């Protein structure tokens, strides 16, 4: 025997990892997560939230000290075994990942629960002032802006017990209003509003700044004149009894939606060069789902507009051009894939079954989950086998739960039987789908 071989024989074996101790530690962490969630729900003040944040930071530090060992390499017999077995190390890693995910959710919830603050109000005032000074207004618009800002000052004076008025220095109305709103922002800063003690005042201010921004958006800009004249001749404003008494576009759009005047909404979408109006036109079309919108929505979807994709799904027409347009994004980036999946599912596009099923092996869990749900919405039985594979083999429980949901949506006897076998699954969402499968009559 060589010296090297002797040295190897005499080398100390690494100490075995105590998996049971790790399992007990993770159980304790799981209980702590529940306790932290209760503390966050009970937090009423910023000081309470600070305490919870400190506890979350300590919890994360302690969690990161846990080291899950790598699973051992399978022997040849295990490699030949068709049924993949979860090792104790993999089971512990899954539990660790779930705890870390829950912790991240709590940290996000904590940030959402904070505030709002006085500086948020100042930021909204500054944004409104910037809109006024960066826009060219008509004479009518100047008068409307003065009324809007004057109403905001009245609310500010009531909330802070001040006596602010519109600055009347020179003839440049936007410059006057910029200075006026600057004084209002300074008054809010000087008030030093506390997120806890002055929560009602801050909330009232944010409501007032919303009204301020809406009033500015509805005031008449110089660029509106030609467009408004065109729309007036097309009869867009005929639904308003007193055009001059209302900021007309948005109000008219809501009336047209209520009356089902799709042609007028499409005309507004095509004519107004305004992000604000485009957003509200698209929102109206998404709620209505009219067939008349198919062609313009195809055009927008071809320009990577995800809202247009959603509208095509709501319309529910599976004609060839709609499906072909949406299929272009099935193998794209996740931002475009997921609305395309959803729309193809809603229209029941059978031609999309195989292209979407191909995405069930995508590296992104969100893509796999969205693909599974789209297949469920389509309801084609060809998707049963690939969904069964995902339910059995995917590493992410939420993806597996989506596959189980999809099989329940397909609803054939075979699909329901597959899901029903997972009644004792490790994931609660999968268990819930299995329970539904036992109650659903087969299609």
């Amino acid at each position: 025997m060589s010296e090297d071989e002797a040295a190897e024989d005499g080398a100390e074996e690494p100490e075995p990892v105590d998996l049971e101790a790790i399992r007990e530690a993770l159980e304790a962490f799981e209980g702590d997560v529940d306790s932290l969630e209760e503390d966050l729900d009970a937090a009423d003040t910023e000081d309470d939230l600070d305490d919870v944040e400190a506890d979350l930071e300590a919890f994360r530090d302690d969690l990161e000290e846990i080291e899950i060992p790598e699973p051992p390499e399978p022997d040849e017999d295990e490699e030949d075994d068709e049924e993949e077995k979860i090792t104790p190390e993999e089971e512990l890693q899954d539990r660790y990942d779930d705890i870390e995910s829950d912790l991240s959710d709590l940290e996000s919830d904590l940030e959402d629960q904070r505030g709002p603050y006085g500086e948020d109000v100042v930021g909204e005032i500054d944004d409104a002032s910037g809109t006024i000074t960066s826009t060219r207004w008509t004479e009518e618009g100047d008068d409307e802006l003065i009324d809007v800002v004057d109403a905001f000052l009245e609310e500010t004076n009531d909330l802070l017990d001040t006596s602010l008025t519109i600055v009347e220095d020179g003839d440049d109305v936007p410059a006057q209003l910029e200075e006026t709103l600057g004084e209002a922002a300074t008054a809010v800063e000087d008030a030093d509003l506390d997120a806890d003690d002055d929560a009602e005042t801050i909330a009232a201010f944010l409501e007032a700044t919303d009204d301020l921004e809406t009033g500015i958006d509805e005031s008449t800009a110089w660029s509106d004149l030609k467009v408004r004249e065109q729309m007036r001749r097309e009869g867009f404003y005929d639904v308003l009894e007193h055009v001059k008494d209302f900021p007309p576009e948005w109000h008219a759009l809501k009336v047209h939606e209520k009356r089902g005047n799709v042609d007028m909404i499409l005309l507004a979408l095509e004519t107004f060069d305004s992000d604000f109006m485009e957003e509200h036109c698209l929102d109206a079309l998404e709620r209505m789902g009219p067939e008349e919108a198919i062609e313009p929505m195809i055009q927008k979807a071809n320009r990577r507009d995800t809202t247009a994709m959603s509208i095509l799904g709501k319309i529910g027409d599976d004609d060839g051009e709609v499906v072909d347009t949406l299929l272009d994004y099935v193998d794209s980036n996740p931002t475009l894939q997921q609305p395309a999946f959803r729309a193809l599912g809603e229209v029941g596009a059978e031609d999309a079954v195989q292209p979407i099923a191909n995405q069930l092996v995508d590296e992104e869990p969100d893509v796999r989950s969205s693909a599974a749900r789209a297949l469920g919405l389509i309801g084609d039985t060809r998707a049963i086998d690939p969904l069964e594979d995902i339910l059995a083999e995917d590493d992410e429980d939420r993806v597996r739960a989506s596959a189980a949901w999809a099989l329940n949506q397909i609803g054939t006897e075979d699909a329901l039987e597959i899901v029903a076998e997972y009644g004792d699954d490790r994931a609660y969402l999968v268990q819930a789908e299995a329970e539904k499968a036992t109650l659903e009559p087969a299609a």
Side-chain angles (χ1 to χ4, degrees):
M1 178 183 296
S2 68
E3 292 183 5
D4 289 342
E5 291 173 333
E8 288 179 4
D9 287 344
E12 294 184 5
E13 291 288 332
E15 294 185 8
V17 178
D18 189 345
L19 297 181
E20 186 58 35
I22 295 176
R23 183 173 288 105
E24 292 175 358
L26 292 179
E27 288 177 358
F29 277 115
E30 288 166 343
D32 290 342
V33 166
D34 293 337
S35 178
L36 287 167
E37 185 174 6
E38 292 174 0
D39 291 344
L40 181 57
D41 289 340
D44 291 327
T45 67
E46 290 290 316
D47 288 341
D48 294 339
L49 293 174
D50 288 341
D51 291 340
V52 174
E53 182 175 28
D55 292 340
L56 290 175
E57 290 174 353
F59 182 93
R60 182 172 286 282
D61 290 341
D62 293 341
L63 181 63
E64 289 176 351
E65 292 182 3
I66 298 289
E67 294 185 7
I68 311 295
E70 293 290 331
E73 293 292 332
D75 58 31
E76 292 183 359
D77 292 337
E78 291 177 337
E79 288 178 350
D80 294 336
D81 190 351
E82 292 184 0
E83 183 179 352
E84 183 179 349
K85 297 179 180 178
I86 297 177
T87 66
E89 291 84 357
E90 290 171 330
E91 182 265 331
L92 292 175
Q93 185 64 55
D94 286 343
R95 292 180 67 173
Y96 180 96
D97 291 343
D98 288 341
I99 294 170
E100 203 282 333
S101 176
D102 290 341
L103 176 58
S104 296
D105 289 343
L106 286 175
E107 290 168 338
S108 297
D109 292 344
L110 173 70
E111 290 307 311
D112 291 342
Q113 203 163 316
R114 287 192 180 277
Y117 305 102
E119 51 261 37
D120 296 327
V121 177
V122 173
E124 294 293 328
I125 297 173
D126 290 342
D127 288 345
S129 179
T131 301
I132 291 175
T133 55
S134 63
T135 305
R136 184 181 179 189
W137 304 96
T138 64
E139 184 176 343
E140 175 189 0
D142 283 346
D143 292 339
E144 292 166 346
L145 289 171
I146 290 172
D147 290 342
V148 169
V149 173
D150 193 48
F152 176 72
L153 292 182
E154 184 177 345
E155 185 72 15
T156 300
N157 290 333
D158 288 343
L159 292 170
L160 298 182
D161 194 23
T162 51
S163 54
L164 298 171
T165 59
I166 290 179
V167 174
E168 297 181 359
D169 183 13
D171 298 327
D172 187 343
V173 171
Q176 294 173 5
L177 299 182
E178 179 185 26
E179 186 174 351
T180 301
L181 290 175
E183 292 182 358
T186 300
V188 174
E189 289 176 338
D190 292 344
D192 195 21
L193 300 173
D194 183 86
D196 293 326
D197 297 339
D198 302 306
E200 291 185 5
T201 300
I202 293 173
F205 255 123
L206 290 175
E207 186 174 342
T209 56
D210 283 344
D211 292 341
L212 174 65
E213 291 172 356
T214 299
I216 293 170
D217 286 337
E218 294 173 345
S219 296
T220 309
W222 181 263
S223 58
D224 294 335
L225 284 181
K226 183 178 179 181
V227 172
R228 284 189 171 183
E229 193 59 34
Q230 290 174 344
M231 297 297 283
R232 186 173 288 114
R233 291 178 182 178
E234 293 289 345
F236 182 75
Y237 300 102
D238 289 351
V239 295
L240 301 178
E241 295 180 4
H242 304 288
V243 174
K244 293 182 180 179
D245 295 336
F246 292 92
E249 284 79 16
W250 190 19
H251 184 72
L253 180 67
K254 289 187 284 187
V255 176
H256 284 305
E257 179 186 354
K258 186 175 181 180
R259 297 184 181 181
N261 297 335
V262 179
D263 57 336
M264 284 296 175
I265 296 173
L266 291 173
L267 178 65
L269 178 63
E270 178 184 358
T271 306
F272 286 114
D273 185 17
S274 160
D275 291 342
F276 174 82
M277 284 301 295
E278 180 181 27
E279 177 185 350
H280 286 286
C281 286
L282 290 174
D283 286 346
L285 291 172
E286 187 168 8
R287 288 188 290 268
M288 298 170 74
E291 290 186 2
E292 300 94 317
I294 289 177
E295 190 56 39
M297 291 306 101
I298 287 176
Q299 293 175 12
K300 291 184 72 65
N302 282 329
R303 297 194 296 270
R304 305 162 70 89
D305 189 308
T306 56
T307 304
M309 296 180 199
S310 178
I311 292 170
L312 289 172
K314 292 295 187 297
I315 294 171
D317 192 317
D318 64 347
D319 74 30
E321 192 176 3
V322 169
V323 173
D324 289 345
T325 298
L326 296 170
L327 281 174
D328 286 342
Y329 299 106
V330 165
D331 189 13
S332 181
N333 65 68
T335 302
L336 299 172
Q337 280 178 302
Q338 293 178 54
F341 289 163
R342 177 76 183 183
L344 287 164
E346 289 179 331
V347 303
E350 294 180 358
D351 290 346
V353 171
Q354 188 59 56
I356 294 177
N358 293 341
Q359 302 304 314
L360 291 173
V361 295
D362 191 277
E363 63 181 17
E364 290 293 331
D366 286 343
V367 173
R368 302 198 301 274
S369 179
S370 296
R373 288 185 171 270
L375 291 172
L377 289 173
I378 294 172
D380 194 298
T381 56
R382 289 175 295 166
I384 291 177
D385 288 343
L387 288 170
E388 180 182 13
D389 292 340
I390 290 299
L391 179 56
E393 300 172 4
D394 200 285
D395 294 332
E396 294 286 340
D397 287 341
R398 57 196 169 98
V399 178
R400 296 175 58 247
S402 293
W405 179 89
L407 288 166
N408 275 340
Q409 290 294 113
I410 293 172
T412 64
E413 184 175 351
D414 289 343
L416 296 176
E417 286 178 356
I418 291 168
V419 183
E421 293 177 359
Y422 288 83
D424 59 350
D425 192 80
R426 66 177 184 269
Y428 169 76
L429 291 176
V430 177
Q431 291 180 28
E433 293 299 334
E435 183 177 352
K436 291 179 187 176
T438 62
L439 301 175
E440 289 284 344

